[in-house]
Amino acid sequence: MGILIDEKNKIFTLHTKNSTYQMKADEYGFLLHLYYGRRTEGCMDYLLHFADRGFSGNPYDAGADRTYSMDVLPQELPCQGTGDYRSPAVIIKNADGSYGCDFRYRSARILEGKYGIPGFPAVYADKKEAETLEIELEDPVSHVKATLLYGVLPELDIITRSARIHNGGSDKISLEKAQAACLDWVGGDFDIMFFYGRHAMERYVQRTPVSHGAQTIGSRRGTSSHQYNPMMMIADRNATEDFGSCYAMTFVYSGNFKGEVEKDQFNQTRALMGLADELFSYPLQPEEDFYVPETILSYSRAGLAKLSQNLHSCIRAHLCRGKYRDSIRPVLLNSWEASYFDFDSESLCALARQAADLGIEMLVMDDGWFGKRDDDNSGLGDWHVNEEKLGESLSSLIEKINGMGLKFGIWFEPEAVNEDSDLYREHPDWALSIPGRNPVRARNQLLLDFSRPEVVDWIFENLCQVLDQGNIEYIKWDLNRSLSDCYSCGADDQGRVQYDYVRGLYDLLERLVQKYPDILFEGCSGGGGRFDAGMLYYTPQIWCSDNTDAVDRVDIQYGTSFGYPVSTVGSHVSAVPNHQTGRTTPFAARGITAMAGTFGYELDPNKLTDDEKQQMRQQIADYKKYAPLIQNGLYYRLTDPSTQEVGAWEFVSEDASAVLVSALMLKVHGNMTVNYLRLKGLEEGCMYREEKSGKVYAADALMESGIPLPVEFGEYQAYQMYFVKEG
Ligand code: GLA
């Protein structure tokens, strides 16, 4: 299928439909990287250049050959200790305290299907869709083994990388850095794209030239974070949305990470993506294994739109799982911005009644239903229903909501605990804190030590006991602070705690998704603070941001779209003036923006005017009609909202027969110039009819000159145009 092993020359080639990746185990047994780029045949070891380079040392077994240096050669798994002074993917501290590590090739084999990673999220695919290449390397002195895992999904232009580190020696070692994905280019002139932000303003795009001096992103927060997303793109300097070579590196992990890119002394570029080395030091006893979480790689020579689409297809169908992976998600009403902590069964039923009348399909009871929880100062950890506050039992409330024709969903923040809670009073040692020091509080809460299995077990039992009370069909899984004070009394080394915490989180999620396969999980961390490919393995959608302002959301969703499919983006229409920005935007603007996501509402429908209610009915009907196209269609960014007057995006069905264009005017001026939106992905030579106007357009003209947006009076005009191919 996609993997070739040339046994004689020890050349390993991975082919996808449009890309080729190649490496070689050379005469010394070093695994060198040869090539990653457009699909090609042949052997690319001619790209390696050997020259005597001052202050770049030589492996001992190269003898008198001063032209052979790991400091210069492109590699698959560069480690600290071989004379490569660039940033390594792996650092191992040996029992004697030294950092020597020297992985040499031992064997390679091809396996059917895609490898999995025990206890961790990973891309999955069946035997017809994927193959795995395993390359085993070993340090001849310490007998530590690194098994490199390459998953190849040819049709999707996706290659994944992970590694298993095995301590085959007789002494304990410590892993000080572990990143499975390294890309070394021997030449090239690249830009690096990072996705940065903050709470309520996540995933802005930053594109800058790769230069001398490392450019690094990452998280020390224990979660993937609002501040940097664990995803980066490396693009040719002249690559655009539609042209040019570009690469993606997406980390499938929800904790601390590090992404690095740097031009070296010879203008060669190295990019690394994986676990952060800071706050990490993982002990490995003899015969123990360590799994390096996976990174997804993709290459496109047709620009960033295609690169994003590759990631979208992979995440949508090969990482997201469960009943809701392919089905259209219910239109939901979330109680948070409608009533915050101030609700009871009666007020929830009033929301639900109106919601049902307007066509909404599910009511989600957000924070405030458990323990003593009337504000955010108490109650977290006490996952038992506050029937006194609700005014009835959970099961009877759910029955009432179901009786109105609505599904019922519920909010949890399972990793958190308030000091003012029965759980904390009973088990203060379950909260992360360092003996003798006061912990850092955030939102007046602490976090539970999820690196300890007994804590995870207890939370699992408590969540199940709530979930078993009635027909709960949705969970919003929140986390409202970053980790700190990561000391665990159960750990033999504190450098393992944050990795083990994430493993505990994944264990809990896995048990729940297995036990409750019919529940739709939505991830959340103060909005998009843990919007990553790891979480999407358990929760096929994630609340994209706490910011529901339509104009800001255009920016947030624009950045998010580079790495993640629309089917994963939780997006709702909320009330105006917006609760985060105070801005007032038209109902239609909020509607089309939320339709670039899983769609729902975050407001009290009883407070809407009759006109708004009418618009809402229509919006829901429109969404239901377009939902298959929105959820599964090819996504194109038509503008860059950070620099243009209009934010616009487009969904095109796989066969190009249906096209939905959405646009939001972000700026209004006197005597406006006309904005022409150039459509993408239509079938050349065909005619398309726009449904509302009935007008017929030539695809080539729509893609070449575009369609003019009407100039209208007033701020934030929204446009939605649906084109159907004629004939
Ligand atoms: C976070 C979420 C919100 C809401 C609150 C509840 O901030 O992002 O949507 O659920 O918590 O406390």
Side-chain angles (χ1 to χ4, degrees), residues 367-390:
D367 194 355
W369 56 267
F370 51 90
K372 187 181 106 195
R373 186 74 174 166
D374 291 324
D375 54 38
D376 57 16
N377 294 320
S378 62
L380 287 170
D382 294 340
W383 301 113
H384 45 82
V385 182
N386 186 339
E387 293 188 1
E388 207 183 312
K389 172 172 176 175
L390 270 189

PDB file of all heavy atoms in Angstrom, residues 367-390:
ATOM      1  N   ASP A 367     -23.505  24.693  34.738  1.00  0.00           N
ATOM      2  CA  ASP A 367     -22.973  24.753  36.106  1.00  0.00           C
ATOM      3  C   ASP A 367     -24.036  25.214  37.118  1.00  0.00           C
ATOM      4  O   ASP A 367     -24.800  26.139  36.843  1.00  0.00           O
ATOM      5  CB  ASP A 367     -21.817  25.773  36.075  1.00  0.00           C
ATOM      6  CG  ASP A 367     -20.956  25.712  37.305  1.00  0.00           C
ATOM      7  OD1 ASP A 367     -21.271  24.962  38.229  1.00  0.00           O
ATOM      8  OD2 ASP A 367     -19.934  26.434  37.306  1.00  0.00           O
ATOM      9  N   GLY A 368     -24.040  24.590  38.307  1.00  0.00           N
ATOM     10  CA  GLY A 368     -24.893  25.081  39.402  1.00  0.00           C
ATOM     11  C   GLY A 368     -25.898  24.090  39.947  1.00  0.00           C
ATOM     12  O   GLY A 368     -26.651  24.415  40.868  1.00  0.00           O
ATOM     13  N   TRP A 369     -25.941  22.866  39.449  1.00  0.00           N
ATOM     14  CA  TRP A 369     -27.001  21.924  39.822  1.00  0.00           C
ATOM     15  C   TRP A 369     -26.621  20.970  40.955  1.00  0.00           C
ATOM     16  O   TRP A 369     -27.432  20.185  41.409  1.00  0.00           O
ATOM     17  CB  TRP A 369     -27.407  21.086  38.594  1.00  0.00           C
ATOM     18  CG  TRP A 369     -26.240  20.357  37.967  1.00  0.00           C
ATOM     19  CD1 TRP A 369     -25.463  20.802  36.939  1.00  0.00           C
ATOM     20  CD2 TRP A 369     -25.692  19.092  38.352  1.00  0.00           C
ATOM     21  NE1 TRP A 369     -24.471  19.906  36.646  1.00  0.00           N
ATOM     22  CE2 TRP A 369     -24.577  18.825  37.500  1.00  0.00           C
ATOM     23  CE3 TRP A 369     -26.018  18.134  39.321  1.00  0.00           C
ATOM     24  CZ2 TRP A 369     -23.811  17.677  37.594  1.00  0.00           C
ATOM     25  CZ3 TRP A 369     -25.240  16.975  39.414  1.00  0.00           C
ATOM     26  CH2 TRP A 369     -24.154  16.764  38.565  1.00  0.00           C
ATOM     27  N   PHE A 370     -25.375  21.033  41.414  1.00  0.00           N
ATOM     28  CA  PHE A 370     -24.850  20.003  42.332  1.00  0.00           C
ATOM     29  C   PHE A 370     -24.382  20.664  43.630  1.00  0.00           C
ATOM     30  O   PHE A 370     -24.122  21.884  43.675  1.00  0.00           O
ATOM     31  CB  PHE A 370     -23.670  19.283  41.676  1.00  0.00           C
ATOM     32  CG  PHE A 370     -22.659  20.261  41.155  1.00  0.00           C
ATOM     33  CD1 PHE A 370     -21.610  20.692  41.952  1.00  0.00           C
ATOM     34  CD2 PHE A 370     -22.791  20.804  39.896  1.00  0.00           C
ATOM     35  CE1 PHE A 370     -20.703  21.631  41.495  1.00  0.00           C
ATOM     36  CE2 PHE A 370     -21.884  21.747  39.421  1.00  0.00           C
ATOM     37  CZ  PHE A 370     -20.839  22.162  40.226  1.00  0.00           C
ATOM     38  N   GLY A 371     -24.202  19.825  44.652  1.00  0.00           N
ATOM     39  CA  GLY A 371     -23.608  20.276  45.917  1.00  0.00           C
ATOM     40  C   GLY A 371     -24.155  21.619  46.359  1.00  0.00           C
ATOM     41  O   GLY A 371     -25.334  21.935  46.175  1.00  0.00           O
ATOM     42  N   LYS A 372     -23.258  22.418  46.946  1.00  0.00           N
ATOM     43  CA  LYS A 372     -23.636  23.787  47.326  1.00  0.00           C
ATOM     44  C   LYS A 372     -22.993  24.691  46.280  1.00  0.00           C
ATOM     45  O   LYS A 372     -21.803  25.004  46.350  1.00  0.00           O
ATOM     46  CB  LYS A 372     -23.068  24.081  48.722  1.00  0.00           C
ATOM     47  CG  LYS A 372     -23.520  25.389  49.311  1.00  0.00           C
ATOM     48  CD  LYS A 372     -22.879  25.593  50.682  1.00  0.00           C
ATOM     49  CE  LYS A 372     -21.779  26.641  50.584  1.00  0.00           C
ATOM     50  NZ  LYS A 372     -20.847  26.730  51.669  1.00  0.00           N
ATOM     51  N   ARG A 373     -23.739  25.077  45.289  1.00  0.00           N
ATOM     52  CA  ARG A 373     -23.138  25.729  44.118  1.00  0.00           C
ATOM     53  C   ARG A 373     -24.042  26.851  43.609  1.00  0.00           C
ATOM     54  O   ARG A 373     -24.742  26.696  42.589  1.00  0.00           O
ATOM     55  CB  ARG A 373     -22.931  24.671  43.030  1.00  0.00           C
ATOM     56  CG  ARG A 373     -22.179  25.130  41.790  1.00  0.00           C
ATOM     57  CD  ARG A 373     -20.709  25.299  42.015  1.00  0.00           C
ATOM     58  NE  ARG A 373     -20.007  25.595  40.775  1.00  0.00           N
ATOM     59  CZ  ARG A 373     -18.767  26.057  40.735  1.00  0.00           C
ATOM     60  NH1 ARG A 373     -18.086  26.266  41.846  1.00  0.00           N
ATOM     61  NH2 ARG A 373     -18.195  26.315  39.577  1.00  0.00           N
ATOM     62  N   ASP A 374     -24.025  27.981  44.331  1.00  0.00           N
ATOM     63  CA  ASP A 374     -24.794  29.128  43.856  1.00  0.00           C
ATOM     64  C   ASP A 374     -23.890  30.202  43.272  1.00  0.00           C
ATOM     65  O   ASP A 374     -24.352  31.227  42.778  1.00  0.00           O
ATOM     66  CB  ASP A 374     -25.634  29.715  45.008  1.00  0.00           C
ATOM     67  CG  ASP A 374     -26.744  28.746  45.391  1.00  0.00           C
ATOM     68  OD1 ASP A 374     -27.283  28.096  44.473  1.00  0.00           O
ATOM     69  OD2 ASP A 374     -27.030  28.601  46.592  1.00  0.00           O
ATOM     70  N   ASP A 375     -22.622  29.980  43.379  1.00  0.00           N
ATOM     71  CA  ASP A 375     -21.632  30.833  42.709  1.00  0.00           C
ATOM     72  C   ASP A 375     -20.393  29.955  42.509  1.00  0.00           C
ATOM     73  O   ASP A 375     -20.432  28.757  42.823  1.00  0.00           O
ATOM     74  CB  ASP A 375     -21.323  32.096  43.527  1.00  0.00           C
ATOM     75  CG  ASP A 375     -20.901  31.761  44.949  1.00  0.00           C
ATOM     76  OD1 ASP A 375     -20.190  30.752  45.132  1.00  0.00           O
ATOM     77  OD2 ASP A 375     -21.287  32.490  45.887  1.00  0.00           O
ATOM     78  N   ASP A 376     -19.295  30.556  42.039  1.00  0.00           N
ATOM     79  CA  ASP A 376     -18.157  29.682  41.720  1.00  0.00           C
ATOM     80  C   ASP A 376     -17.168  29.529  42.881  1.00  0.00           C
ATOM     81  O   ASP A 376     -16.010  29.204  42.666  1.00  0.00           O
ATOM     82  CB  ASP A 376     -17.468  30.128  40.414  1.00  0.00           C
ATOM     83  CG  ASP A 376     -16.989  31.567  40.467  1.00  0.00           C
ATOM     84  OD1 ASP A 376     -16.909  32.131  41.577  1.00  0.00           O
ATOM     85  OD2 ASP A 376     -16.697  32.122  39.397  1.00  0.00           O
ATOM     86  N   ASN A 377     -17.650  29.712  44.100  1.00  0.00           N
ATOM     87  CA  ASN A 377     -16.751  29.587  45.252  1.00  0.00           C
ATOM     88  C   ASN A 377     -16.841  28.256  45.982  1.00  0.00           C
ATOM     89  O   ASN A 377     -16.024  27.975  46.853  1.00  0.00           O
ATOM     90  CB  ASN A 377     -17.020  30.711  46.255  1.00  0.00           C
ATOM     91  CG  ASN A 377     -16.650  32.050  45.655  1.00  0.00           C
ATOM     92  OD1 ASN A 377     -15.641  32.165  44.966  1.00  0.00           O
ATOM     93  ND2 ASN A 377     -17.493  33.043  45.863  1.00  0.00           N
ATOM     94  N   SER A 378     -17.829  27.465  45.663  1.00  0.00           N
ATOM     95  CA  SER A 378     -18.002  26.222  46.434  1.00  0.00           C
ATOM     96  C   SER A 378     -18.642  25.130  45.579  1.00  0.00           C
ATOM     97  O   SER A 378     -19.173  25.400  44.500  1.00  0.00           O
ATOM     98  CB  SER A 378     -18.899  26.495  47.663  1.00  0.00           C
ATOM     99  OG  SER A 378     -20.175  26.924  47.229  1.00  0.00           O
ATOM    100  N   GLY A 379     -18.563  23.932  46.106  1.00  0.00           N
ATOM    101  CA  GLY A 379     -19.360  22.823  45.563  1.00  0.00           C
ATOM    102  C   GLY A 379     -18.657  21.885  44.605  1.00  0.00           C
ATOM    103  O   GLY A 379     -19.040  20.721  44.483  1.00  0.00           O
ATOM    104  N   LEU A 380     -17.604  22.359  43.898  1.00  0.00           N
ATOM    105  CA  LEU A 380     -16.971  21.463  42.920  1.00  0.00           C
ATOM    106  C   LEU A 380     -16.418  20.231  43.620  1.00  0.00           C
ATOM    107  O   LEU A 380     -15.729  20.354  44.640  1.00  0.00           O
ATOM    108  CB  LEU A 380     -15.832  22.192  42.193  1.00  0.00           C
ATOM    109  CG  LEU A 380     -16.245  23.244  41.182  1.00  0.00           C
ATOM    110  CD1 LEU A 380     -15.027  24.047  40.724  1.00  0.00           C
ATOM    111  CD2 LEU A 380     -16.940  22.611  39.987  1.00  0.00           C
ATOM    112  N   GLY A 381     -16.693  19.095  43.067  1.00  0.00           N
ATOM    113  CA  GLY A 381     -16.270  17.826  43.664  1.00  0.00           C
ATOM    114  C   GLY A 381     -17.451  17.070  44.249  1.00  0.00           C
ATOM    115  O   GLY A 381     -17.403  15.850  44.369  1.00  0.00           O
ATOM    116  N   ASP A 382     -18.509  17.794  44.604  1.00  0.00           N
ATOM    117  CA  ASP A 382     -19.679  17.139  45.208  1.00  0.00           C
ATOM    118  C   ASP A 382     -20.705  16.820  44.114  1.00  0.00           C
ATOM    119  O   ASP A 382     -21.689  17.548  43.931  1.00  0.00           O
ATOM    120  CB  ASP A 382     -20.297  18.043  46.287  1.00  0.00           C
ATOM    121  CG  ASP A 382     -19.357  18.214  47.469  1.00  0.00           C
ATOM    122  OD1 ASP A 382     -18.437  17.363  47.618  1.00  0.00           O
ATOM    123  OD2 ASP A 382     -19.522  19.187  48.222  1.00  0.00           O
ATOM    124  N   TRP A 383     -20.441  15.750  43.408  1.00  0.00           N
ATOM    125  CA  TRP A 383     -21.290  15.435  42.248  1.00  0.00           C
ATOM    126  C   TRP A 383     -22.551  14.690  42.655  1.00  0.00           C
ATOM    127  O   TRP A 383     -22.783  13.571  42.244  1.00  0.00           O
ATOM    128  CB  TRP A 383     -20.479  14.664  41.196  1.00  0.00           C
ATOM    129  CG  TRP A 383     -19.313  15.475  40.747  1.00  0.00           C
ATOM    130  CD1 TRP A 383     -18.001  15.229  40.958  1.00  0.00           C
ATOM    131  CD2 TRP A 383     -19.358  16.734  40.061  1.00  0.00           C
ATOM    132  NE1 TRP A 383     -17.219  16.240  40.447  1.00  0.00           N
ATOM    133  CE2 TRP A 383     -18.033  17.171  39.885  1.00  0.00           C
ATOM    134  CE3 TRP A 383     -20.395  17.554  39.575  1.00  0.00           C
ATOM    135  CZ2 TRP A 383     -17.712  18.377  39.254  1.00  0.00           C
ATOM    136  CZ3 TRP A 383     -20.070  18.747  38.945  1.00  0.00           C
ATOM    137  CH2 TRP A 383     -18.749  19.140  38.786  1.00  0.00           C
ATOM    138  N   HIS A 384     -23.338  15.364  43.521  1.00  0.00           N
ATOM    139  CA  HIS A 384     -24.677  14.849  43.790  1.00  0.00           C
ATOM    140  C   HIS A 384     -25.672  15.997  43.611  1.00  0.00           C
ATOM    141  O   HIS A 384     -25.394  17.162  43.912  1.00  0.00           O
ATOM    142  CB  HIS A 384     -24.786  14.189  45.168  1.00  0.00           C
ATOM    143  CG  HIS A 384     -24.143  14.986  46.254  1.00  0.00           C
ATOM    144  ND1 HIS A 384     -24.764  16.049  46.876  1.00  0.00           N
ATOM    145  CD2 HIS A 384     -22.906  14.890  46.802  1.00  0.00           C
ATOM    146  CE1 HIS A 384     -23.948  16.571  47.766  1.00  0.00           C
ATOM    147  NE2 HIS A 384     -22.814  15.896  47.748  1.00  0.00           N
ATOM    148  N   VAL A 385     -26.829  15.647  43.096  1.00  0.00           N
ATOM    149  CA  VAL A 385     -27.802  16.651  42.669  1.00  0.00           C
ATOM    150  C   VAL A 385     -28.330  17.427  43.873  1.00  0.00           C
ATOM    151  O   VAL A 385     -28.714  16.839  44.884  1.00  0.00           O
ATOM    152  CB  VAL A 385     -28.981  15.955  41.951  1.00  0.00           C
ATOM    153  CG1 VAL A 385     -29.979  16.986  41.445  1.00  0.00           C
ATOM    154  CG2 VAL A 385     -28.464  15.093  40.814  1.00  0.00           C
ATOM    155  N   ASN A 386     -28.352  18.744  43.748  1.00  0.00           N
ATOM    156  CA  ASN A 386     -28.933  19.577  44.796  1.00  0.00           C
ATOM    157  C   ASN A 386     -30.447  19.667  44.542  1.00  0.00           C
ATOM    158  O   ASN A 386     -30.944  20.584  43.887  1.00  0.00           O
ATOM    159  CB  ASN A 386     -28.275  20.960  44.769  1.00  0.00           C
ATOM    160  CG  ASN A 386     -28.725  21.824  45.927  1.00  0.00           C
ATOM    161  OD1 ASN A 386     -29.779  21.572  46.532  1.00  0.00           O
ATOM    162  ND2 ASN A 386     -27.936  22.831  46.245  1.00  0.00           N
ATOM    163  N   GLU A 387     -31.166  18.689  45.085  1.00  0.00           N
ATOM    164  CA  GLU A 387     -32.612  18.608  44.812  1.00  0.00           C
ATOM    165  C   GLU A 387     -33.357  19.758  45.463  1.00  0.00           C
ATOM    166  O   GLU A 387     -34.405  20.187  44.984  1.00  0.00           O
ATOM    167  CB  GLU A 387     -33.157  17.257  45.297  1.00  0.00           C
ATOM    168  CG  GLU A 387     -32.597  16.111  44.482  1.00  0.00           C
ATOM    169  CD  GLU A 387     -33.247  14.770  44.787  1.00  0.00           C
ATOM    170  OE1 GLU A 387     -34.157  14.717  45.630  1.00  0.00           O
ATOM    171  OE2 GLU A 387     -32.813  13.772  44.167  1.00  0.00           O
ATOM    172  N   GLU A 388     -32.783  20.234  46.554  1.00  0.00           N
ATOM    173  CA  GLU A 388     -33.427  21.364  47.238  1.00  0.00           C
ATOM    174  C   GLU A 388     -33.439  22.592  46.319  1.00  0.00           C
ATOM    175  O   GLU A 388     -34.443  23.274  46.174  1.00  0.00           O
ATOM    176  CB  GLU A 388     -32.628  21.659  48.495  1.00  0.00           C
ATOM    177  CG  GLU A 388     -33.459  22.291  49.594  1.00  0.00           C
ATOM    178  CD  GLU A 388     -32.559  22.618  50.773  1.00  0.00           C
ATOM    179  OE1 GLU A 388     -31.786  21.711  51.171  1.00  0.00           O
ATOM    180  OE2 GLU A 388     -32.605  23.756  51.235  1.00  0.00           O
ATOM    181  N   LYS A 389     -32.285  22.840  45.664  1.00  0.00           N
ATOM    182  CA  LYS A 389     -32.207  23.985  44.751  1.00  0.00           C
ATOM    183  C   LYS A 389     -33.083  23.747  43.509  1.00  0.00           C
ATOM    184  O   LYS A 389     -33.840  24.624  43.091  1.00  0.00           O
ATOM    185  CB  LYS A 389     -30.758  24.213  44.325  1.00  0.00           C
ATOM    186  CG  LYS A 389     -30.592  25.265  43.234  1.00  0.00           C
ATOM    187  CD  LYS A 389     -29.128  25.596  42.984  1.00  0.00           C
ATOM    188  CE  LYS A 389     -28.967  26.578  41.833  1.00  0.00           C
ATOM    189  NZ  LYS A 389     -27.582  26.993  41.640  1.00  0.00           N
ATOM    190  N   LEU A 390     -32.955  22.547  42.967  1.00  0.00           N
ATOM    191  CA  LEU A 390     -33.725  22.256  41.747  1.00  0.00           C
ATOM    192  C   LEU A 390     -35.226  22.241  42.016  1.00  0.00           C
ATOM    193  O   LEU A 390     -36.033  22.612  41.174  1.00  0.00           O
ATOM    194  CB  LEU A 390     -33.325  20.891  41.185  1.00  0.00           C
ATOM    195  CG  LEU A 390     -32.184  20.823  40.189  1.00  0.00           C
ATOM    196  CD1 LEU A 390     -32.098  19.415  39.605  1.00  0.00           C
ATOM    197  CD2 LEU A 390     -32.355  21.839  39.061  1.00  0.00           C
TER     198      LEU A 390
END
